[in-house]
């Protein structure tokens, strides 16, 4: 196990979640993709505002059996670990007051696409979240206006199918019935 991030080279067999646990809790966002450590730059103010507003909007209508949170780790396995921008978990999982969730505890993972995350958020993370069995995935794009893309898992093929592209209202019945005005998510300066 690697004891510090400052080591010159990654572990011979790649990083694991044990290595993540050994790193200092210094506020850096660290994710694992098949043993490769990924450190993302700090999110922009617009990104953070969208995440905060979405979490608040979801939480306002969230049924008791679910919980809404932001930026909490989802450990897919020992060599894959991601931190969705917003996520909905089961209430039972939230009651554990954990800093890490297992995929079966996550109902919805949301990623907000930024310049450095397009391939991860549009291609890689949805494929791996679906493979891990997370029932719903949302992707938010805000380059040319704000659009929320919603997806539902096809459990047989372990892929997501698009259920909507929303730029006025997110009007969906899953994971619970909602009619969320997209305007509530848009930062004032956009």
């Amino acid at each position: 196990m690697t004891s510090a991030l400052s080591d010159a080279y990654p572990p011979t067999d790649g990083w694991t979640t044990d290595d993540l646990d050994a790193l200092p809790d210094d506020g850096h966002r660290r994710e694992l993709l098949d043993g490769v450590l990924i450190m993302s730059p700090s999110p922009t103010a617009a990104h953070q505002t969208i995440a905060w507003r979405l979490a608040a909007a979801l939480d306002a209508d969230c049924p008791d059996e679910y919980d809404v949170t932001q930026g909490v780790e989802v450990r897919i396995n020992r060599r894959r670990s991601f931190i969705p921008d917003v996520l909905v978990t089961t209430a039972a999982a939230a009651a554990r007051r954990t800093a890490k969730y297992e995929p079966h505890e996550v109902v919805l993972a949301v990623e907000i696409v930024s310049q450095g995350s397009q391939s991860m958020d549009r291609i890689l993370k949805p494929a791996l979240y679906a493979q891990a069995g997370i029932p719903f995935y949302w992707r938010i794009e805000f380059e040319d206006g704000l659009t929320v893309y919603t997806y539902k898992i096809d459990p047989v093929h372990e892929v997501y199918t698009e259920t909507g592209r929303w730029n006025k209202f997110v009007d969906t019945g899953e994971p619970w019935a909602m009619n969320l005005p997209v305007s509530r998510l848009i930062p004032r300066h956009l």
Side-chain angles (χ1 to χ4, degrees):
M1 176 174 11
T2 303
S3 61
L5 187 60
S6 62
D7 289 347
Y9 299 98
T12 305
D13 56 348
W15 292 83
T16 68
T17 54
D18 291 337
D19 295 317
L20 287 182
D21 290 340
L23 294 173
D25 187 9
D26 56 9
H28 288 100
R29 184 184 185 114
R30 296 180 181 103
E31 298 177 299
L32 287 180
L33 173 61
D34 297 335
V36 175
L37 181 65
I38 299 168
M39 291 184 62
S40 303
S42 296
T44 65
H47 183 282
Q48 290 297 82
T49 299
I50 293 166
W52 173 79
R53 288 181 176 207
L54 175 63
L58 290 172
D59 191 60
D61 295 323
C62 184
D64 290 343
E65 65 262 27
Y66 301 130
D67 187 69
V68 180
T69 191
Q70 288 181 262
V72 179
E73 183 180 355
V74 178
R75 289 210 167 159
I76 295 174
N77 61 39
R78 287 194 72 233
R79 296 171 44 85
R80 285 188 189 155
S81 180
F82 297 118
I83 303 172
D85 293 310
V86 176
L87 62 157
V88 175
T89 66
T90 65
R96 290 189 299 110
R97 297 183 177 168
T98 183
K100 301 164 189 76
Y101 291 109
E102 299 295 320
H104 71 275
E105 299 173 314
V106 178
V107 177
L108 166 66
V110 181
E111 297 291 353
I112 301 166
V113 178
S114 59
Q115 279 191 324
S117 71
Q118 289 123 345
S119 295
M120 289 287 286
D121 295 342
R122 292 177 184 158
I123 301 165
L124 190 62
K125 283 185 177 181
L128 296 176
Y129 288 154
Q131 188 179 53
I134 296 173
F136 300 97
Y137 177 72
W138 291 8
R139 186 182 85 239
I140 298 178
E141 305 261 355
F142 65 99
E143 211 167 276
D144 295 320
L146 197 141
T147 304
V148 179
Y149 298 81
T150 58
Y151 302 86
K152 181 179 181 177
I153 195 168
D154 170 349
V156 173
H157 297 102
E158 295 181 332
V159 296
Y160 288 119
T161 57
E162 188 175 306
T163 58
R165 292 180 187 201
W166 316 95
N167 54 25
K168 299 285 185 212
F169 292 90
V170 179
D171 187 8
T172 181
E174 298 175 305
W176 63 84
M178 67 181 78
N179 190 343
L180 170 66
V182 172
S183 62
R184 286 182 61 188
L185 310 179
I186 300 172
R188 291 185 183 113
H189 62 277
L190 279 186

Short mmCIF file of all heavy atoms in Angstrom, two decimals, residues 3 15 22 31 48 64 76 83 107 139 179 182 184:
data_model
loop_
_atom_site.label_atom_id
_atom_site.label_comp_id
_atom_site.label_asym_id
_atom_site.label_seq_id
_atom_site.Cartn_x
_atom_site.Cartn_y
_atom_site.Cartn_z
N SER A 3 1.83 4.96 1.00
CA SER A 3 1.53 5.73 2.20
C SER A 3 1.39 7.21 1.94
O SER A 3 0.87 7.93 2.77
CB SER A 3 2.61 5.49 3.25
OG SER A 3 3.86 5.91 2.74
N TRP A 15 -3.38 1.78 -7.98
CA TRP A 15 -3.97 2.29 -6.74
C TRP A 15 -5.20 1.46 -6.37
O TRP A 15 -5.87 0.93 -7.23
CB TRP A 15 -4.38 3.74 -6.92
CG TRP A 15 -3.25 4.70 -7.10
CD1 TRP A 15 -2.59 4.97 -8.26
CD2 TRP A 15 -2.64 5.50 -6.10
NE1 TRP A 15 -1.60 5.90 -8.04
CE2 TRP A 15 -1.61 6.24 -6.72
CE3 TRP A 15 -2.87 5.67 -4.74
CZ2 TRP A 15 -0.83 7.15 -6.02
CZ3 TRP A 15 -2.08 6.58 -4.05
CH2 TRP A 15 -1.07 7.30 -4.68
N ALA A 22 -5.52 5.79 2.91
CA ALA A 22 -4.27 6.17 3.57
C ALA A 22 -3.84 7.60 3.26
O ALA A 22 -2.98 8.14 3.95
CB ALA A 22 -3.16 5.19 3.16
N GLU A 31 -10.38 10.14 -7.44
CA GLU A 31 -11.18 9.02 -7.92
C GLU A 31 -10.24 7.96 -8.48
O GLU A 31 -9.08 8.26 -8.81
CB GLU A 31 -12.17 9.50 -9.00
CG GLU A 31 -13.17 10.53 -8.47
CD GLU A 31 -14.10 11.06 -9.54
OE1 GLU A 31 -13.61 11.66 -10.52
OE2 GLU A 31 -15.31 10.87 -9.39
N GLN A 48 -20.44 24.41 -8.98
CA GLN A 48 -20.83 24.21 -7.59
C GLN A 48 -22.24 24.73 -7.31
O GLN A 48 -22.99 24.12 -6.57
CB GLN A 48 -19.83 24.90 -6.65
CG GLN A 48 -18.47 24.23 -6.62
CD GLN A 48 -18.56 22.82 -6.07
OE1 GLN A 48 -18.89 21.87 -6.78
NE2 GLN A 48 -18.23 22.66 -4.80
N ASP A 64 -39.24 9.79 1.79
CA ASP A 64 -38.53 9.37 3.01
C ASP A 64 -37.59 8.19 2.79
O ASP A 64 -36.62 8.04 3.54
CB ASP A 64 -39.53 9.02 4.11
CG ASP A 64 -40.24 10.24 4.66
OD1 ASP A 64 -39.76 11.38 4.44
OD2 ASP A 64 -41.30 10.06 5.30
N ILE A 76 -17.07 1.36 -6.27
CA ILE A 76 -17.58 0.31 -7.16
C ILE A 76 -16.86 -1.01 -6.88
O ILE A 76 -17.48 -2.06 -6.82
CB ILE A 76 -17.45 0.75 -8.63
CG1 ILE A 76 -18.38 1.97 -8.85
CG2 ILE A 76 -17.79 -0.39 -9.58
CD1 ILE A 76 -18.27 2.62 -10.19
N ILE A 83 -16.78 9.93 -7.43
CA ILE A 83 -17.48 10.88 -6.57
C ILE A 83 -18.46 11.67 -7.45
O ILE A 83 -18.08 12.65 -8.08
CB ILE A 83 -16.50 11.84 -5.87
CG1 ILE A 83 -15.47 11.04 -5.06
CG2 ILE A 83 -17.27 12.83 -4.99
CD1 ILE A 83 -14.35 11.89 -4.49
N VAL A 107 -29.22 5.29 -5.76
CA VAL A 107 -30.38 5.25 -6.62
C VAL A 107 -30.15 6.10 -7.86
O VAL A 107 -30.53 5.73 -8.97
CB VAL A 107 -31.63 5.76 -5.85
CG1 VAL A 107 -32.86 5.80 -6.75
CG2 VAL A 107 -31.88 4.92 -4.62
N ARG A 139 -27.04 13.63 -16.39
CA ARG A 139 -25.88 14.42 -16.83
C ARG A 139 -26.37 15.84 -17.08
O ARG A 139 -27.38 16.02 -17.76
CB ARG A 139 -25.28 13.81 -18.09
CG ARG A 139 -24.00 14.49 -18.52
CD ARG A 139 -23.45 13.89 -19.81
NE ARG A 139 -24.08 14.54 -20.96
CZ ARG A 139 -24.77 13.91 -21.90
NH1 ARG A 139 -24.95 12.60 -21.85
NH2 ARG A 139 -25.29 14.57 -22.92
N ASN A 179 -41.44 17.49 -11.10
CA ASN A 179 -41.55 18.46 -12.18
C ASN A 179 -40.69 19.64 -11.75
O ASN A 179 -41.18 20.63 -11.22
CB ASN A 179 -43.00 18.87 -12.40
CG ASN A 179 -43.17 19.68 -13.67
OD1 ASN A 179 -42.21 20.20 -14.23
ND2 ASN A 179 -44.40 19.79 -14.11
N VAL A 182 -35.96 23.78 -14.57
CA VAL A 182 -34.52 23.87 -14.83
C VAL A 182 -34.01 25.26 -14.45
O VAL A 182 -32.87 25.40 -14.01
CB VAL A 182 -34.22 23.52 -16.31
CG1 VAL A 182 -32.77 23.80 -16.66
CG2 VAL A 182 -34.56 22.05 -16.57
N ARG A 184 -34.46 26.82 -11.85
CA ARG A 184 -34.04 26.81 -10.45
C ARG A 184 -32.57 26.40 -10.30
O ARG A 184 -31.97 26.64 -9.25
CB ARG A 184 -34.89 25.84 -9.64
CG ARG A 184 -36.28 26.34 -9.36
CD ARG A 184 -37.09 25.39 -8.52
NE ARG A 184 -36.49 25.16 -7.19
CZ ARG A 184 -36.94 24.25 -6.34
NH1 ARG A 184 -37.98 23.48 -6.65
NH2 ARG A 184 -36.36 24.10 -5.15
#
